[in-house]
Amino acid sequence: MKSLFLCTLLAGGMMMAASSVAESRTLYETREIIENPIIIDNAQSKKMHVRFRHKEHKVLGCRTCHHVMTEDRQVYVPCTVCHDKTDIADRSDHSYFLAVHRLDSTHSCAGCHAKMAAESPKLKGCQSCHKL
């Protein structure tokens, strides 16, 4: 029970912190992010960077990946607000690597691609995302 309370308290604090970060974007900045590819470059090696196109993923709906919103439920919070540990060896809930690569998660890129690879073989393997 104590750990549930602490987790709830921690999640609330992260959402409050996230709301100030996310709300600082203007409508124009948000549109630019959605309409243009973004480069996810948290990895140390350029080979591991990912060009992500929101347009290609719009059929999924924003909440598939952005499962945290600001308190007023107006802005989706970027993954890196909660998953802020970029060391590949980190295996905590804050691990950015695991947030993206966890095969048993419905919010993870790798998990979604693995599930959909049977229908669309081009989604199979690392190269479907890591192809800069």
Side-chain angles (χ1 to χ4, degrees), residues 56-61 64-65 102-103 105-125 128-129:
E56 290 177 2
H57 295 83
K58 69 181 177 182
V59 297
L60 300 174
T64 300
C65 301
R102 191 166 290 190
L103 292 173
S105 173
T106 57
H107 300 296
S108 142
C109 304
C112 187
H113 277 229
K115 184 174 108 181
M116 309 229 3
E119 299 168 19
S120 181
K122 69 179 183 176
L123 298 178
K124 188 176 184 179
S128 63
C129 296

Side-chain angles (χ1 to χ4, degrees), residues 56-101:
E56 290 177 2
H57 295 83
K58 69 181 177 182
V59 297
L60 300 174
C62 303
R63 290 200 45 104
T64 300
C65 301
H66 294 280
H67 51 272
V68 176
M69 296 178 74
T70 55
E71 281 186 17
D72 61 5
R73 302 187 60 75
Q74 297 295 313
V75 179
Y76 292 103
V77 176
C79 306
T80 52
V81 171
C82 298
H83 302 285
D84 57 352
K85 304 295 183 198
T86 57
D87 180 3
I88 196 168
D90 187 301
R91 294 298 187 238
S92 71
D93 287 340
H94 288 268
S95 169
Y96 183 78
F97 178 83
L98 286 182
V100 175
H101 293 92

Side-chain angles (χ1 to χ4, degrees), residues 47-51 53 101 113 121-132:
K47 287 188 212 174
M48 300 310 292
H49 294 181
V50 172
R51 183 179 309 249
R53 292 172 178 85
H101 293 92
H113 277 229
K122 69 179 183 176
L123 298 178
K124 188 176 184 179
C126 304
Q127 294 299 320
S128 63
C129 296
H130 296 284
K131 57 182 176 187
L132 281 175

Side-chain angles (χ1 to χ4, degrees), residues 26-38 54:
T26 65
L27 185 59
Y28 177 77
E29 290 168 327
T30 303
R31 191 179 80 217
E32 286 292 308
I33 290 168
I34 292 170
E35 290 181 356
N36 297 306
I38 60 171
H54 280 91

